[in-house]
Structures are given as C-alpha cells and as structure tokens.
C-alpha cells in the first residue's frame, strides 16, 4: 500500500515527505509515530495499517488535534464498520476509499434494505458486498453452463465466470480479468461531521469516482507468470 500510494502521489505531482513504521503486532500507542509524521509538516498523513491499529491511530490523531493543525488523515484500508466503531466525532474528515457504500445509489440502497433485517445493527462494507457479489456471479455461471458441468470441471467454471460480464446490486456492471481481478468502480469518501449525518450508517460523502479500468493495478504490472497482458 505504501509503495502504490507513493507512486500515485509522485505521479500526480505530489511529494512524499517520509515514512515511519510501527512494530507489529502489539502496538497500541502510536503517539510518537504521529509526532514524527507531524514534524514533516505534511498536508496529509496516510495510514497504511488496518483494524484496531487504524482505529487507535485515528483516535490518537484526534486527541492531538491534527485537523485543527490543517493536517488531513487518509486511511489506505478503511471499512464502514471501522467508522462506526470510531464514531463521527472522532472520524470526521477522514479520507478513505471503498468499492461499495450502502447509500451510493438506488441499487445499493435496495440491496441494503433486503439484507438489513438479517444483520441487525451491523455496518455493511465492501467485504460483505464482495462475498455476496462473488457468490451471485458464480451461481449465474453455474446456471449458464449447467450444474453437472460446473461440478465436473472447476477450471471450466472459473473460465466461464471470467467470460461472463458481471452485474449485481452491490457493484453494478463489471468484468473479471484473465488474472482473476474483478473490475468495477472505486470511490473516494470523506467521513461526515456528526451534524451532517441523517441517521445510522450515514457516514460518507462521495468525493470522487474512479472507473474500473483505472481503479486497479494494470494487468501488465501484476507480475503473474501465468498471465500475459
């Protein structure tokens, strides 16, 4: 994540001022690392971690008042349940990206309305949507080629999934590349302020949409010996 983000920043004319790495696992106090990052006077601090490490970093950054200092936080791997755990008072202003958001359009809202009675107060994110969409596409491929043929040859079933266009209520139209990468849009979000939220899980403001062809690493840069661009 650090490599890819750094390459993108430099490619867009920005400057990477430095990096600091934290011991893993077992680190819960990130204050000294945040102070190191703040000392470089950046416009943005990127967090290339996940889970409780990200949550702790964001909590401690809020305590330091990074937003008041004009420094924005960007999480390179963030999910709506993480925002839910943090609360908007702490997470507000954070920049992150996901490929699914329940309130993105009519189809995502319809999907969320269908599953909400079964999941209670849990926040939906792209991981949940990805599991649903992959199973739906697999079942479409099985229906297309026949159950017996799909059971007889798993490789042929995968090939059929790659050959068929994808379309579901979570991600909309898309496709699967020869290397198995699913292509669909990705979205840049900003976490809302508490007063901007209209209710439960209304946490994101859409800043930018990146099409599937640009949202993922090019096929030629994957380094897979079994695939040729």
């Amino acid at each position: 994540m650090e490599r890819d983000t750094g390459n993108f920043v430099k490619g867009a004319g920005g400057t990477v001022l430095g990096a600091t790495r934290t011991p893993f696992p077992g680190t819960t106090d990130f204050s000294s690392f945040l102070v190191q990052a703040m000392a470089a006077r950046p416009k943005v601090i990127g967090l290339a971690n996940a889970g409780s490490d990200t949550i702790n970093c964001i909590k401690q950054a809020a305590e330091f008042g990074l937003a008041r200092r004009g420094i924005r936080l960007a999480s390179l791997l963030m999910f709506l349940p993480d925002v839910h755990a943090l609360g908007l008072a702490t997470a507000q202003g954070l920049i992150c990206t996901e490929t699914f958001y329940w309130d993105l359009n009519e189809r995502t809202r319809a999907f969320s309305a269908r599953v909400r009675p079964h999941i209670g107060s849990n926040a939906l994110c792209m991981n949940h949507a990805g599991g649903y969409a992959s199973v739906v596409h697999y079942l479409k491929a099985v229906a297309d080629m026949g159950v017996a043929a799909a059971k007889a040859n798993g490789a042929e079933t995968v090939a059929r999934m790659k050959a068929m266009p994808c379309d579901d209520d979570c991600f909309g139209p898309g496709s699967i590349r020869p290397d198995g990468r699913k292509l669909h849009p990705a979205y840049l979000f900003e976490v809302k302020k508490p007063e901007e939220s209209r209710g439960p899980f209304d946490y994101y403001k859409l800043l930018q949409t990146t099409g599937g062809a640009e949202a993922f690493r090019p096929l030629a840069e994957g380094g897979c010996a079994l695939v040729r661009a």
Side-chain angles (χ1 to χ4, degrees), residues 135-201:
V135 171
V136 166
H137 190 64
Y138 166 75
L139 293 175
K140 288 180 179 179
V142 170
D144 185 61
M145 64 190 299
V147 174
K151 290 177 67 176
N153 194 325
E156 182 60 33
T157 305
V158 171
R160 185 66 61 93
M161 291 176 69
K162 293 178 179 180
M164 294 174 58
C166 304
D167 193 6
D168 59 77
D169 287 342
C170 295
F171 303 103
S175 61
I176 303 176
R177 286 193 320 205
D179 63 349
R181 171 70 69 184
K182 167 72 186 324
L183 301 180
H184 48 245
Y187 307 98
L188 186 68
F189 294 112
E190 178 182 342
V191 177
K192 291 182 175 183
K193 299 176 182 177
E195 61 269 23
E196 294 174 322
S197 177
R198 298 166 297 173
F201 311 119

Side-chain angles (χ1 to χ4, degrees), residues 26-162:
T27 304
T28 57
D29 184 358
F30 295 90
S31 56
S32 63
F33 305 104
L34 289 167
V35 168
Q36 290 180 51
M38 291 164 56
R41 300 182 181 276
K43 294 180 179 178
V44 179
I45 293 177
L47 303 176
N49 51 17
S52 60
D53 286 355
T54 302
I55 290 173
N56 285 331
C57 276
I58 294 169
K59 287 180 177 178
Q60 291 164 29
E63 293 170 359
F64 279 128
L66 261 66
R68 295 194 302 272
R69 299 168 185 260
I71 301 174
R72 305 197 74 173
L73 280 182
S75 176
L76 309 187
L77 186 60
M78 192 75 178
F79 305 99
L80 199 71
D82 297 328
V83 177
H84 185 67
L86 283 162
L88 295 184
T90 299
Q92 60 182 310
L94 177 75
I95 302 299
C96 62
T97 183
E98 289 207 52
T99 53
F100 166 84
Y101 179 48
W102 71 271
D103 198 23
L104 192 65
N105 54 50
E106 290 301 324
R107 294 186 74 178
T108 59
R109 284 189 284 272
F111 167 78
S112 301
R114 290 200 306 273
V115 302
R116 176 58 56 193
H118 305 286
I119 63 173
S121 59
N122 295 299
L124 285 168
C125 69
M126 57 186 174
N127 284 1
H128 308 120
Y132 166 83
S134 60
V135 171
V136 166
H137 190 64
Y138 166 75
L139 293 175
K140 288 180 179 179
V142 170
D144 185 61
M145 64 190 299
V147 174
K151 290 177 67 176
N153 194 325
E156 182 60 33
T157 305
V158 171
R160 185 66 61 93
M161 291 176 69
K162 293 178 179 180

